[in-house]
């Protein structure tokens, strides 16, 4: 088997090698896959079937189709078997059993239906072809693969995602244990990030073996970009650098180890090692399945790394923003307080009556600095929305604008809106960005900031009397408006920006309430 085969090809090879008819359809009944066994059963080639309605299989006058099973699946009856009749291309009517399960995306949403057709004779043990157990294994693996991949989520720590995937490998394949290692030989890094079915301490022992210079099968798979197979006991016990590993697994009934690489766009990210019990010999189809699952692990790793990179950049931008805010507001206020206090101290000795003026200046700067610091603290606290509420944070924003930029800010907020924290954060961030744009670009003297909840939904309005702009124009290097639109779209909200040169600007956000 070539190591460069894609995960889709590997998964397709498992389905295509099955002696049972496996097909899939969209929710509106259009065939999206059709394996060779389906060609033999129904007489239609894949080219003839894919893209066609499932109605091509309905016997004359039969209007059942996949509609009833699809309804049952969406109601939670996945994996059940239904008795049905389907039409052959030559006009014959086939009496079949149909096992269906939902195909879901990574968010858990049902996107289609996959099914296995069996002639009733085959289901009752009288079909002259493949053994029943082999057919059931294909069905089980196909169904479990769908479930495992649908349950993978990338909004959690990478270790949790890889633990979930390793557990799925143990469920779907014949392996007794699985470890996913992340490897970077240039940096001399080796870390076991996901495990299932392995003894406690296994990950640390393998990492110690790597540091000691052990020749690990996972390293070989990583370097060669292909599967590596070893006899478990001889491979581990003859290597003194794996003494800790050998001690941990001495009571495990393992016979064969198979390591496959985690490859993303022709670059190895690590390797997945599976331990097979005595008497189990992984064949080419089993290793193809491992390669497919390793590809999913590689996607999970790459996604996690990209998320971490984006979060790192966002954190850096936030730190830079905080530094600018502290420099522009609080540090200048503190400098002014120091200068005013020294002036007042001098005047107290020379002309006490005149000391009141610099002291009043010190008091006003202290109050402004306190307002600024509170606003910054509220922005930095992750629980600020929960403890202070959206209205509280918007009030702090308005106060900061008044003290820092001497703007007239009129507010009308009403009671705290009754929505999720995620929606409140979206509204706050949009308001924050819109107000930042006003201060930076609008040359405004007055701002109106309003928030209201009605029976239809929540309305946020931000208006200024500045110089205005063309909302349809392009602003290279400035992502504020696009960022606001993306935030609103993620929550099903409508965002409109009304402006024209010389006529100020108004940002309106409308969040419909769930019915």
């Amino acid at each position: 088997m070539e190591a460069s085969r894609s995960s889709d090809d590997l998964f397709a090879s498992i389905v295509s090698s099955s002696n049972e008819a496996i097909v899939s359809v969209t929710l509106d009944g259009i065939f999206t896959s059709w394996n060779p066994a389906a060609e033999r059963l129904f007489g239609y080639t894949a080219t003839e079937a894919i893209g066609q309605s499932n109605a091509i299989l309905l016997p004359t006058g039969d209007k059942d189709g996949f509609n009833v099973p699809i309804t049952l699946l969406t109601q939670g009856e996945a994996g059940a078997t239904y008795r049905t009749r389907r039409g052959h291309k030559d006009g014959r009517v086939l009496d079949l059993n149909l096992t269906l399960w939902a195909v879901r995306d990574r968010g858990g949403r049902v996107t289609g239906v996959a099914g296995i057709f069996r002639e009733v004779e085959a289901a009752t043990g009288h079909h002259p072809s493949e053994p029943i157990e082999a057919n059931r294994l294909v069905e089980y693996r196909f169904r479990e693969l769908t479930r495992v991949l649908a349950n993978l989520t990338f909004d959690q720590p990478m270790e949790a995602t890889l633990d979930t995937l390793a557990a799925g490998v143990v469920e779907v394949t014949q392996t007794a244990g699985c470890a996913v290692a992340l490897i970077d030989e240039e940096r001399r890094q080796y870390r076991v990030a996901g495990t299932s079915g392995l003894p406690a301490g296994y990950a640390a022992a393998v990492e110690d073996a790597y540091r000691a210079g052990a020749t690990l099968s996972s390293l070989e798979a990583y370097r060669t970009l292909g599967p590596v197979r070893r006899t478990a006991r001889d491979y581990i016990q003859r290597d003194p650098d794996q003494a800790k590993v050998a001690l941990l697994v001495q009571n495990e009934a393992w016979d064969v180890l198979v390591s496959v690489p985690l490859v993303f766009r022709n670059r190895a990210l690590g390797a997945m090692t599976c331990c097979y019990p005595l008497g189990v010999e992984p064949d080419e189809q089993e290793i193809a399945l491992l390669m497919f699952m390793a590809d999913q692990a590689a996607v999970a790793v790459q996604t996690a790394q990209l998320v971490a990179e984006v979060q790192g950049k966002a954190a850096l931008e936030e730190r830079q923003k905080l530094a600018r805010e502290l420099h522009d507001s609080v540090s200048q206020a503190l400098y002014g307080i120091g200068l005013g206090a020294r002036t007042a101290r001098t005047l107290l000795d020379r002309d006490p009556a005149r000391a009141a003026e610099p002291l009043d200046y010190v008091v006003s700067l202290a109050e402004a600095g306190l307002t600024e610091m509170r606003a910054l603290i509220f922005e930095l606290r992750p629980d600020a929305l929960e403890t202070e509420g959206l209205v509280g944070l918007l009030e702090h924003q308005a106060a900061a604008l008044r003290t820092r930029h001497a703007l007239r800010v009129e507010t009308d907020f009403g009671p705290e809106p009754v929505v999720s924290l995620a929606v409140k954060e979206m509204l706050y961030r949009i308001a924050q960005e819109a107000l930042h744009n006003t201060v930076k670009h609008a040359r405004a003297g007055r701002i109106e900031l309003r928030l209201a909840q009605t029976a239809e939904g929540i309305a946020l309005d931000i208006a200024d009397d500045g110089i205005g702009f063309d909302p349809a124009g392009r602003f290279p290097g400035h992502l504020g408006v696009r960022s606001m639109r993306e935030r609103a779209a993620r929550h099903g909200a409508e965002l409109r920006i009304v402006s024209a040169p010389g006529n100020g600007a108004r940002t309106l956000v409308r969040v419909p309430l769930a019915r």
Side-chain angles (χ1 to χ4, degrees):
M1 176 177 45
E2 297 178 4
S4 61
R5 293 174 67 185
S6 71
S7 60
D8 288 342
D9 290 339
L10 292 168
F11 188 61
S13 71
I14 297 169
V15 175
S16 64
S17 65
S18 172
N19 284 282
E20 293 189 327
I22 302 176
V23 303
S24 61
V25 295
T26 61
L27 288 179
D28 54 358
I30 303 300
F31 286 116
T32 55
S33 70
W34 186 271
N35 75 341
E39 294 185 0
R40 294 191 295 272
L41 180 62
F42 296 112
Y44 294 96
T45 66
T47 302
E48 292 172 321
I50 293 175
Q52 297 295 318
S53 167
N54 67 81
I56 65 171
L57 297 185
L58 297 184
T60 303
D62 191 339
K63 297 182 180 180
D64 169 42
F66 274 172
N67 298 331
V68 172
I70 288 175
T71 302
L72 291 173
L73 278 173
T74 57
Q75 294 173 352
E77 296 293 330
T81 298
Y82 311 92
R83 187 72 170 266
T84 188
R85 298 164 69 247
R86 290 294 184 269
H88 192 277
K89 184 178 180 180
D90 63 11
R92 288 181 290 124
V93 176
L94 305 174
D95 194 12
L96 304 168
N97 279 347
L98 171 60
T99 301
L100 292 177
W101 59 92
V103 175
R104 301 176 184 271
D105 62 18
R106 286 171 179 154
R109 184 172 59 93
V110 177
T111 58
V113 177
I116 294 180
F117 284 102
R118 298 187 196 88
E119 293 186 74
V120 171
E121 291 82 4
T124 55
H126 300 296
H127 195 277
S129 60
E130 287 293 307
I132 296 294
E133 288 306 314
N135 294 336
R136 292 293 184 271
L137 179 60
V138 171
E139 174 193 337
Y140 170 77
R141 286 184 169 184
F142 193 80
R143 183 176 65 248
E144 289 302 300
L145 266 178
T146 304
R147 182 187 59 77
V148 169
L149 297 182
N151 287 337
L152 283 182
T153 58
F154 302 106
D155 56 352
Q156 60 182 346
M158 177 169 56
E159 289 77 5
T161 298
L162 294 180
D163 278 342
T164 299
L165 190 135
V169 172
V170 173
E171 278 192 67
V172 173
T173 68
Q174 301 175 73
T175 185
C178 177
V180 181
L182 305 182
I183 305 171
D184 186 340
E185 283 205 289
E186 290 184 7
R187 300 179 182 178
R188 294 287 301 165
Q189 293 177 352
Y190 185 105
R191 180 166 66 92
V192 178
T195 61
S196 179
L198 300 173
Y202 178 88
V206 173
E207 290 171 0
D208 286 346
Y210 168 78
R211 287 189 286 271
T215 306
L216 302 173
S217 61
S218 52
L219 272 179
E220 295 182 54
Y222 170 85
R223 291 165 179 164
T224 62
L225 301 184
V228 174
R229 177 186 179 125
R230 294 284 182 269
T231 301
R233 294 192 175 276
D234 290 344
Y235 159 70
I236 295 173
Q237 291 179 354
R238 73 176 181 223
D239 187 348
D241 293 328
Q242 297 195 61
K244 291 182 181 179
V245 180
L247 185 63
L248 281 173
V249 304
Q250 61 183 346
N251 296 322
E252 302 290 338
W254 295 347
D255 189 29
V256 174
L257 292 180
V258 176
S259 292
V260 293
L262 274 59
V263 180
F264 186 84
R265 294 183 178 174
N266 297 320
R267 183 171 70 90
L269 305 177
M272 183 173 76
T273 299
C274 294
C275 315
Y276 286 87
L278 292 168
V280 176
E281 286 291 332
D283 56 16
E284 183 174 340
Q285 188 179 91
E286 176 84 1
I287 294 175
L289 188 57
L290 295 183
M291 293 285 284
F292 172 79
M293 299 297 280
D295 283 349
Q296 305 312 305
V299 171
V301 170
Q302 184 67 16
T303 301
Q305 290 175 346
L306 289 174
V307 169
E309 183 180 339
V310 169
Q311 289 175 338
K313 288 181 179 178
L316 177 60
E317 290 174 1
E318 286 298 317
R319 287 195 294 270
Q320 291 173 338
K321 177 185 175 185
L322 177 60
R324 288 194 301 269
E325 297 281 357
L326 288 171
H327 176 269
D328 293 343
S329 56
V330 180
S331 65
Q332 290 184 11
L334 292 174
Y335 176 79
I337 288 170
L339 182 62
R342 284 193 295 272
T343 302
R345 181 69 183 83
T346 301
L347 288 174
L348 283 173
D349 293 335
R350 298 177 182 177
D351 189 354
R354 293 179 55 197
E357 183 178 350
L359 286 175
D360 288 342
Y361 177 65
V362 167
V363 170
S364 67
L365 283 178
E367 291 175 346
L370 182 60
T371 300
E372 289 282 355
M373 185 59 72
R374 282 176 174 167
L376 289 172
I377 290 172
F378 283 128
E379 284 188 35
L380 291 172
R381 281 172 49 199
D383 62 341
L385 271 171
E386 190 167 6
T387 57
E388 301 294 328
L390 176 60
V391 170
L393 264 65
L394 290 177
E395 287 282 14
H396 286 294
Q397 279 285 312
L401 290 173
R402 294 185 188 107
T403 57
R404 183 189 307 170
H405 303 287
L407 290 167
R408 299 193 312 277
V409 183
E410 298 177 8
T411 61
D412 181 8
F413 295 137
E416 181 72 13
V418 183
V419 287
S420 68
L421 284 176
V423 171
K424 289 183 182 182
E425 182 179 5
M426 176 268 293
L427 290 169
Y428 177 66
R429 295 303 179 190
I430 289 177
Q432 193 178 36
E433 185 64 40
L435 293 171
H436 172 76
N437 290 341
T438 297
V439 169
K440 190 171 182 180
H441 305 293
R443 303 178 203 166
R446 178 171 165 272
I447 296 175
E448 294 179 5
L449 184 55
R450 306 186 188 282
L451 179 71
Q453 181 167 346
T454 67
E456 286 72 32
I458 298 171
L460 172 68
D461 288 5
I462 304 149
D464 66 62
D465 62 354
I467 61 175
F469 67 101
D470 179 7
R474 297 177 60 117
F475 306 96
H478 299 283
L479 304 178
V481 173
R482 189 175 78 183
S483 172
M484 289 192 291
R485 293 191 191 281
E486 290 174 352
R487 285 184 186 275
R490 283 197 295 270
H491 293 275
E494 176 192 3
L495 183 141
R496 289 193 299 125
I497 298 176
V498 180
S499 182
N503 289 326
R506 186 180 183 193
T507 300
L508 306 97
V509 185
R510 299 293 182 264
V511 184
L513 293 181
R515 299 287 181 185

